[in-house]
Amino acid sequence: MTQPLPSGDPAPGPQATGPAAGRAPDPVANPAANPVGPGLDDIAAAERLLGVTYTPAERAQMLDNLEGQIASAVARRGVRLSNDVPMASRFDPRLPGFRPPAAPGRVRFSAADPGPLPDSDTDIAFAPLPRLAGWIARGAITSRRLTGIYLARIAALGPKLECFATVTPDLALAEADAADALTRAGVNLGPLHGIPYGLKDLFDTRGITTGWGAEPFRDRVPDRDAAIVGRLRAAGAVLLGKTTLGALAYNDIWYGGMTRNPWNPDEGASGSSAGSGSATAAGLCAFSIGTETLGSITSPCQRNGTTGLRPTFGRVSRAGAMALCWSLDKIGPMCRGVEDTAMVLSVLNGPDPADRSSIDMPFHFDAARGIEGLRVGYLPEAFAEGATAVDHAALEAVRDLGLEVRAVSLPDLPYGSLINVLYAEAAAAFEDLTLDNTDDTLTWQEDGAWPNTFRKARFLSAVDHVQLDRLRYRVMEALDALFADIDVLVGPFMTGPMLVASNFTGHPCLHLRAGFIDSPTRGKASLGSGKLSTGEAADGPTHTVPQGISLWGGLFDEGAVLALGMALEAALDVADRRPPIA
């Protein structure tokens, strides 16, 4: 899922011309549809939806003042709130007494010679960022040629994978030429100078369609750039186009079809950063940008075999990005290597007053940093039922690096219950779609899809929501205690409590390829009943597909996670394998 707080003025939400076919009038949105007001039977029925029970006398007491409560809600709904209006309250992942990681305030990447430029365009396209950056800096390849290689691959493979919503060849070549002119003048803007990338289509791009993957917004053209677009441009990166996302940042179904996994095009790429995962895995860009609310970087990285870094909440500005959940949305790089993610994050990092949740915190990374002394833990329950042989092999590989890996634990808390916070914020972000009945225009209408989820969220209790926020604080304390004893936690991203817990606490996560499994074609991901599923495998022929492992770290301590990730990536030696479609 995904992101907030656009700096531009987004196009207004679509206005309905009447109730959708088959949908009964809403007596709350339209009080005239129910002139009598709520009765005792209505209260009793509502109790069943909320999981509470009142006595007949208690119900009778409510009758005199419920109408005022409803009228207040209806009056508030008369104020239309566009997607860029933030919440007044804001989430801060730091607990009292938080201390930033004790590390030198510098960023240093690999200084090794990138070697000779390959003869094959495909080999160039799949090269890691340190080599691409080295070739450009040395004049071995121009940004224009590199951009042309990726544009040709997009033209050939993009339609098969349905991973680009919009391609911007003229803009890309113009930006590449600008980078080359600077190179000739002896100016290099940094590690992404002249490097072409794909941008998830929920980030505003001035004059370029930004459709959020959803039919009601498919013609939306913003008049400003998102904050990270400006940062990437200032760093010399080249925008190839907008990668697809599942509608409103959920799954891989969008108004242009289903984004496909390059390892098995019969199945979806997972989501919601579906196009970013698919395009990067297939070598259609050097790197891409994804977002995560609950699994939207890690899940497509798992499915497509890419390496994704979900930074600490607040590290990267979300200004100019579609808001799904203000207290959860995070922005991060999706790449083909661990150091690549560090290079991209070094450009994205930085405070921004346009994002109320932005936190000013330096990014520390040293490619030469060793892993000696790192304290590594794992949750035994995460390696129980549901874990694969690849997961267990990855844990052993960490031990083989000479590190002591010990079992750790988290308190027994209902972590999955926190997902109701996501439902409530997402339903609020797109309330107009529900109240105007324009949610019916979205293609994906299954039980787990957003339209149904938004409707059900109207029945969530506000009291429970406050209590969930307090539970969230307990979970923050639990993870704070965990990372006081260890530096990095290793485990499967889906089993165990960490996918939910770490997203709600804002802790960073690196997901990298760890091996391969043979699997039949898998179905769509789903989010419901307090858990996320990446899709069940159907019967049929199997395909060799990638499998990843996750590393979590302390708040704003991505450096430790990246150090272990680089060492593990080298030990596993599976990052260079390419999907058959490539």
Side-chain angles (χ1 to χ4, degrees):
M1 300 147 248
T2 355
Q3 258 62 39
L5 222 6
S7 58
D9 297 320
Q15 301 298 311
T17 56
R23 184 90 67 86
D26 181 355
V28 175
N30 178 16
N34 184 22
V36 178
L40 294 175
D41 290 343
D42 297 318
I43 296 173
E47 291 168 27
R48 290 192 291 273
L49 291 174
L50 295 173
V52 296
T53 303
Y54 299 129
T55 66
E58 289 168 338
R59 292 173 194 140
Q61 273 188 315
M62 296 181 197
L63 284 178
D64 289 342
N65 53 41
L66 268 180
E67 289 189 27
Q69 187 169 298
I70 294 171
S72 294
V74 172
R76 198 280 310 152
R77 291 173 201 166
V79 179
R80 291 300 176 106
L81 301 170
S82 61
N83 188 263
D84 65 333
V85 177
M87 294 168 59
S89 57
R90 65 186 184 90
F91 175 68
D92 189 326
R94 298 168 294 181
L95 290 171
F98 168 80
R99 293 183 179 180
R106 66 178 182 182
V107 176
R108 185 170 65 179
F109 303 111
S110 298
D113 188 325
L117 187 72
D119 294 329
S120 164
D121 284 356
T122 300
D123 290 342
I124 294 172
F126 276 93
L129 288 186
R131 297 184 72 193
L132 291 174
W135 289 329
I136 287 178
R138 289 163 173 75
I141 190 172
T142 63
S143 177
R144 173 172 266 268
R145 183 187 168 196
L146 182 59
T147 299
I149 289 173
Y150 286 124
L151 288 173
R153 293 182 65 80
I154 292 171
L157 299 177
K160 299 177 183 178
L161 297 174
E162 299 177 44
C163 58
F164 270 88
T166 303
V167 185
T168 55
D170 293 340
L171 174 63
L173 293 173
E175 291 185 343
D177 288 343
D180 288 336
L182 289 173
T183 301
R184 290 191 297 271
V187 176
N188 186 283
L189 298 176
L192 302 185
H193 182 93
I195 305 293
Y197 74 101
L199 180 68
K200 187 173 180 177
D201 194 36
L202 56 65
F203 292 100
D204 282 354
T205 41
R206 181 179 180 180
I208 301 170
T209 300
T210 303
W212 300 348
E215 287 81 356
F217 305 98
R218 64 185 302 169
D219 298 321
R220 179 182 176 276
V221 180
D223 59 8
R224 298 184 187 179
D225 287 327
I228 67 161
V229 175
R231 290 187 181 182
L232 288 163
R233 183 179 297 116
V238 173
L239 177 62
L240 294 166
K242 310 295 288 293
T243 55
T244 58
L245 69 152
L248 305 180
Y250 185 10
N251 217 307
D252 46 31
I253 307 295
W254 61 295
Y255 54 75
M258 179 179 74
T259 304
R260 300 179 182 277
N261 178 7
W263 298 88
N264 174 14
D266 289 336
E267 70 181 13
S270 189
S272 69
S273 304
S276 292
S278 178
T280 304
L284 307 192
C285 52
F287 71 92
S288 58
I289 302 297
T291 65
E292 175 153 330
T293 302
L294 184 64
S296 283
I297 289 176
T298 49
S299 186
C301 282
Q302 170 85 340
R303 179 68 64 93
N304 298 280
T306 49
T307 297
L309 177 59
R310 186 192 78 214
T312 303
F313 180 89
R315 183 180 280 287
V316 180
S317 171
R318 305 167 303 176
M322 184 201 87
L324 183 68
C325 295
W326 292 272
S327 74
L328 282 163
D329 297 338
K330 298 161 286 284
I331 298 170
M334 299 175 69
C335 304
R336 291 184 292 272
V338 173
E339 186 173 3
D340 299 36
T341 67
M343 294 175 72
V344 179
L345 184 57
S346 71
V347 170
L348 300 182
N349 181 64
D352 183 2
D355 181 348
R356 283 176 49 80
S357 295
S358 176
I359 297 173
D360 187 0
M361 195 68 63
F363 171 55
H364 307 294
F365 174 77
D366 186 348
R369 171 183 175 175
I371 60 172
E372 296 78 10
L374 280 183
R375 303 169 299 167
V376 182
Y378 74 97
L379 296 170
E381 65 268 31
F383 287 89
E385 183 178 359
T388 68
V390 172
D391 298 325
H392 289 281
L395 182 61
E396 289 305 310
V398 175
R399 289 193 175 100
D400 291 343
L401 291 172
L403 297 173
E404 179 183 353
V405 182
R406 61 188 180 89
V408 295
S409 63
L410 285 171
D412 184 14
L413 294 171
Y415 298 97
S417 297
L418 291 172
I419 295 179
N420 279 348
V421 174
L422 185 160
Y423 294 153
E425 289 193 35
F430 292 100
E431 178 184 59
D432 289 355
L433 295 185
T434 303
L435 297 184
D436 293 343
N437 296 337
T438 43
D439 54 356
D440 290 334
T441 64
L442 271 70
T443 298
W444 190 29
Q445 289 285 338
E446 296 177 11
D447 288 347
W450 273 148
N452 183 57
T453 301
F454 293 165
R455 295 169 201 143
K456 290 190 299 180
R458 310 301 303 198
F459 299 117
L460 292 172
S461 162
V463 175
D464 284 337
H465 192 80
V466 173
Q467 298 298 69
L468 282 173
D469 199 49
R470 300 174 73 194
L471 173 64
R472 187 175 187 174
Y473 195 85
R474 287 278 304 276
V475 175
M476 292 167 66
E477 292 177 318
L479 264 66
D480 185 68
L482 176 71
F483 287 109
D485 291 335
I486 61 173
D487 300 303
V488 181
L489 183 77
V490 58
F493 92 103
M494 184 59 69
T495 59
M498 282 302 290
L499 173 66
V500 174
S502 66
N503 266 290
F504 277 87
T505 61
H507 284 75
C509 176
L510 175 72
H511 191 80
L512 66 151
R513 187 188 300 178
F516 295 87
I517 60 173
D518 291 327
S519 172
T521 296
R522 293 161 290 188
K524 293 187 291 294
S526 63
L527 174 62
S529 302
K531 64 183 295 186
L532 176 69
S533 168
T534 54
E536 299 297 325
D539 294 332
T542 62
H543 301 260
T544 300
V545 293
Q547 175 89 1
I549 197 76
S550 284
L551 305 176
W552 294 269
L555 294 176
F556 299 101
D557 197 11
E558 288 87 352
V561 173
L562 289 163
L564 180 57
M566 289 182 66
L568 184 58
E569 179 182 62
L572 294 171
D573 194 26
V574 294
D576 290 339
R577 184 168 172 177
R578 302 170 189 171
I581 197 172

